[in-house]
């Protein structure tokens, strides 16, 4: 009887947590940096269509109307906190990586969670970023977003 319980415990321990949940993050700055960016409702429409097509379970949507030039965005910080607390979150849906970050600190937070496997993917309308993209591809996109901000000055 005791041996059976030990065996069951080992089997349960080997089963990975089911990761089937997603969050959406949309951002639009009211500053000149985003004059060409889609509105928050437009971003949400496209991301909800993707979620519906891929049959993704969205548990939370984060909306932010603030520049990402500097760290400290409240909704972004709540997103990161949720990613760290909920092991069932598989990924983030966002319009583009530069909606998530335009500064090195926030970029590092997202890239590190992707690299560590705390999330498995970031889905955008044009690309799905996986762990293998967390080093080079996302670093290049982060550098482009940061250069864009510097060039606006």
């Amino acid at each position: 009887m005791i041996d059976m319980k030990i065996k069951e415990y080992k089997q349960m321990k080997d089963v990975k947590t089911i990761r089937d949940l997603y969050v959406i993050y949309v951002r639009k700055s009211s500053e000149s940096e985003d004059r060409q960016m889609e509105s928050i409702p437009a971003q949400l429409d496209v991301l909800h269509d993707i979620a519906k097509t891929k049959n993704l379970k969205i548990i939370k949507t984060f909306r932010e109307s603030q520049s990402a030039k500097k760290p400290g965005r409240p909704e972004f910080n709540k997103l990161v906190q949720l990613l760290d607390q909920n092991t069932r979150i598989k990924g983030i849906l966002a319009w583009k990586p530069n909606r998530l970050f335009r500064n090195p600190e926030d970029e590092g937070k997202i890239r590190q969670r992707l690299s560590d496997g705390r999330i498995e993917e970031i889905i955008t309308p044009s690309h799905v970023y996986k762990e293998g993209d967390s080093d080079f591809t996302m670093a290049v996109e982060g550098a482009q977003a940061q250069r864009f901000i510097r060039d606006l000055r």
Side-chain angles (χ1 to χ4, degrees):
M1 186 81 159
I2 292 176
D3 290 337
M4 179 97 157
K5 289 183 180 181
I6 291 171
K7 185 178 179 183
E8 288 173 10
Y9 174 75
K10 285 182 180 178
Q11 287 175 340
M12 285 176 54
K13 196 174 171 187
D14 292 338
V15 174
K16 288 188 172 185
T17 301
I18 296 171
R19 299 183 83 184
D20 60 346
L21 305 175
Y22 288 81
V23 295
I24 290 176
Y25 181 87
V26 292
R27 181 181 68 81
K28 170 100 168 120
S29 175
S30 59
E31 299 176 21
S32 62
E33 75 177 67
D34 283 338
R35 283 189 186 149
Q36 302 302 313
M37 180 51 54
E38 292 290 331
S39 69
I40 285 178
Q43 291 177 52
L44 285 170
D45 286 346
V46 172
L47 296 174
H48 282 285
D49 285 347
I50 291 170
K52 186 176 179 180
T53 301
K54 294 179 178 262
N55 198 28
L56 305 178
K57 294 180 195 173
I58 305 299
I59 61 162
K60 181 125 177 96
T61 298
F62 296 91
R63 294 171 183 85
E64 199 136 52
S65 296
Q66 184 174 344
S67 172
K69 287 187 265 188
K70 295 189 183 220
R73 292 171 287 142
E75 291 301 303
F76 177 83
N77 291 338
K78 288 177 189 174
L79 164 71
V80 171
Q81 185 177 27
L82 182 63
L83 296 177
D84 290 345
Q85 292 173 346
N86 191 328
T87 58
R88 286 189 58 192
I89 296 175
K90 185 173 184 177
I92 303 169
L93 279 77
W95 182 254
K96 288 184 176 183
N98 70 18
R99 298 299 85 206
L100 289 166
F101 53 77
R102 279 195 189 253
N103 68 75
E105 184 176 321
D106 292 346
E107 175 188 348
K109 288 177 181 178
I110 296 299
R111 287 179 52 207
Q112 191 65 51
R113 280 149 184 83
L114 192 58
S115 178
D116 289 348
R118 284 186 263 173
I119 56 172
E120 293 179 23
E121 57 191 11
I122 298 170
I123 300 172
T124 70
S126 61
H127 190 76
V128 176
Y129 298 86
K130 300 274 190 177
E131 184 274 331
D133 298 312
S134 66
D135 53 4
F136 184 74
T137 305
M138 291 191 80
V140 169
E141 294 206 21
Q144 288 174 329
Q146 291 161 40
R147 172 60 63 151
F148 181 77
I149 294 298
R150 276 193 299 277
D151 289 349
L152 283 176
R153 291 184 196 153

